[in-house]
Amino acid sequence: MQPVIAVDGYSSCGKSTFARLIAQELGYIYIDSGAMYRAVALYCLENGIISGESLDLELMQRSLGQISIQLKLNPGHGIQETWLNGRNVEEEIRSIAVSDVVSRISQVKTVREKMVSLQRKIGENGGVVMDGRDIGTIVFPEARLKIFMTADPDIRAKRRYDELVQKGVQVELSAVAQNVRMRDHEDENRKESPLVKARDAIVLDNSYMTLDQQMDWFRDKWKSSKKKHEG
């Protein structure tokens, strides 16, 4: 079986871009686990399960069976897209509205159980690069290579802001910065699968690194992990 590579870390660290490039280079399947939680969050917003500070847990439990999430490769762009109940929601799940509630949704035990089960099923044959918050600790604790990404919060906020502006989203940098810090706090302190570095994960602080530099870093670590495994 081919190995699994787990890429965990804080929001807006560029995990998805980094993990996608790794998958392309190795010919592996890329899985954006965060997109799955974002799709659930979008469903909750659209169906009145979460609104403001209110989260209807009972309604959420009843609705979980009605949520179908698929990850499909767009052959025209070579990009994996997220589908919710037969609808392409790749753009919608990246909105600030979804970002503001996704950490709360991902704290719900039954939601995590459903997503982890789906993620394990997708990656059961290996040859997968999966990014998220708990891939190396919960989903695939036996992953061949575990990477934990971090970066300065202000730098992450600016990256996220630039990405949204490029997509034509009207947003204030201060709101994005507040969202980044809020998500850090919620991810680190949630009861279910909090964001922690796996004991055997390698830290990548990409605050001042280009993508090319990050890939050079990865190639070095991947080469070392293969030597260790084969030896």
Side-chain angles (χ1 to χ4, degrees), residues 146-176:
K146 300 177 187 177
I147 299 168
F148 188 86
M149 294 181 69
T150 185
D152 180 274
D154 289 333
I155 291 175
R156 289 188 280 129
K158 184 61 165 60
R159 288 174 180 169
R160 179 73 177 137
Y161 170 79
D162 289 343
E163 178 185 329
L164 290 168
V165 169
Q166 191 173 19
K167 292 179 178 179
V169 179
Q170 297 293 320
V171 65
E172 295 292 331
L173 177 58
S174 59
V176 178

Side-chain angles (χ1 to χ4, degrees), residues 201-220:
I202 307 168
V203 176
L204 170 61
D205 184 333
N206 69 358
S207 296
Y208 303 100
M209 293 175 72
T210 65
L211 264 177
D212 285 342
Q213 290 171 331
Q214 291 174 64
M215 288 304 294
D216 286 341
W217 179 94
F218 163 73
R219 293 180 189 108
D220 178 64

Side-chain angles (χ1 to χ4, degrees), residues 50 95-104 175 179 182-183 186:
I50 189 168
S95 68
I96 281 288
V98 169
S99 295
D100 281 343
V101 300
V102 66
S103 289
R104 289 167 59 200
N179 174 260
M182 178 193 73
R183 290 195 63 191
E186 291 180 344

Side-chain angles (χ1 to χ4, degrees), residues 10-188:
Y10 291 93
S11 66
S12 302
C13 270
K15 294 189 303 295
S16 298
T17 301
F18 182 56
R20 187 182 291 114
L21 285 174
I22 292 172
Q24 288 175 355
E25 180 156 316
L26 299 180
Y28 283 11
I29 297 169
Y30 163 66
I31 304 296
D32 179 358
S33 72
M36 298 179 182
Y37 290 102
R38 284 177 171 272
V40 176
L42 178 63
Y43 180 92
C44 291
L45 283 169
E46 292 181 339
N47 290 275
I49 296 171
I50 189 168
S51 177
E53 296 301 312
S54 173
L55 172 58
D56 191 331
L57 285 174
E58 187 178 331
L59 180 56
M60 172 179 278
Q61 311 293 8
R62 294 201 308 267
S63 301
L64 271 179
Q66 301 167 25
I67 299 175
S68 173
I69 297 171
Q70 292 178 294
L71 301 175
K72 299 181 181 180
L73 184 68
N74 182 323
H77 299 92
I79 297 174
Q80 175 188 272
E81 296 175 330
T82 309
W83 290 65
L84 171 64
N85 293 342
R87 164 177 142 232
N88 187 335
V89 294
E90 186 60 32
E91 289 297 321
E92 294 166 85
I93 62 173
R94 309 296 173 182
S95 68
I96 281 288
V98 169
S99 295
D100 281 343
V101 300
V102 66
S103 289
R104 289 167 59 200
I105 296 298
S106 66
Q107 292 178 41
V108 180
K109 185 176 181 179
T110 49
V111 172
R112 297 208 71 84
E113 288 173 345
K114 177 169 181 168
M115 295 301 102
V116 168
S117 176
L118 178 57
Q119 289 155 16
R120 285 177 176 159
K121 184 172 179 60
I122 293 172
E124 63 186 357
N125 294 319
V128 161
V129 183
M130 190 175 295
D131 76 277
R133 302 288 192 281
D134 61 352
I135 310 305
T137 53
I138 302 296
V139 184
F140 289 110
E142 302 303 318
R144 168 83 64 85
L145 179 62
K146 300 177 187 177
I147 299 168
F148 188 86
M149 294 181 69
T150 185
D152 180 274
D154 289 333
I155 291 175
R156 289 188 280 129
K158 184 61 165 60
R159 288 174 180 169
R160 179 73 177 137
Y161 170 79
D162 289 343
E163 178 185 329
L164 290 168
V165 169
Q166 191 173 19
K167 292 179 178 179
V169 179
Q170 297 293 320
V171 65
E172 295 292 331
L173 177 58
S174 59
V176 178
Q178 182 180 359
N179 174 260
V180 165
R181 286 179 166 78
M182 178 193 73
R183 290 195 63 191
D184 286 354
H185 178 77
E186 291 180 344
D187 288 343
E188 290 174 331

